[in-house]
Amino acid sequence: MSDQEFRERILSALDDLKEQIKTTENRTEKRFDSMENRLDSIDQRVGSLERDVGWIKGKLEGRQEIGTRWISLVAVGTAVVSAVIALIALVT
């Protein structure tokens, strides 16, 4: 094998390696793009989930406030009725 043949083989091997590297880079870029798209999709889903959880939390807090109002109204109503009964008992 002459030096010229050796050089040609080395150069062709280097060209093959360059092509493999380009192919690998293209695949890697496509994978990164795919991952970015997936991350964007996940971010959108998490944002939607956060809104839904906030809505549910607001609903539960609202119901709790309504329950607290009813309990206070019942307590006040009971106090008023007992005061009226006590007054009636004093008068009679």
Side-chain angles (χ1 to χ4, degrees), residues 1-16:
M1 177 185 301
S2 69
D3 283 343
Q4 184 64 28
E5 289 175 353
F6 180 73
R7 286 181 184 156
E8 288 175 3
R9 283 187 179 181
I10 295 293
L11 290 176
S12 68
L14 286 175
D15 287 338
D16 290 342

Side-chain angles (χ1 to χ4, degrees), residues 1-86:
M1 177 185 301
S2 69
D3 283 343
Q4 184 64 28
E5 289 175 353
F6 180 73
R7 286 181 184 156
E8 288 175 3
R9 283 187 179 181
I10 295 293
L11 290 176
S12 68
L14 286 175
D15 287 338
D16 290 342
L17 282 174
K18 285 180 185 178
E19 288 299 318
Q20 288 178 356
I21 289 171
K22 285 180 183 178
T23 304
T24 303
E25 285 177 351
N26 289 337
R27 285 183 191 164
T28 305
E29 285 181 20
K30 287 179 183 177
R31 287 181 182 168
F32 280 136
D33 290 341
S34 175
M35 288 172 60
E36 285 178 5
N37 291 337
R38 288 181 185 169
L39 286 175
D40 290 341
S41 175
I42 289 171
D43 285 343
Q44 291 173 352
R45 289 180 186 169
V46 167
S48 175
L49 184 62
E50 287 175 345
R51 284 190 303 272
D52 290 345
V53 167
W55 182 81
I56 291 170
K57 183 180 175 185
K59 276 291 212 186
L60 291 174
E61 288 174 351
R63 286 185 180 175
Q64 183 180 7
E65 287 179 16
I66 290 171
T68 304
R69 285 182 190 165
W70 278 107
I71 290 172
S72 63
L73 287 176
V74 168
V76 169
T78 305
V80 169
V81 169
S82 63
V84 169
I85 292 173

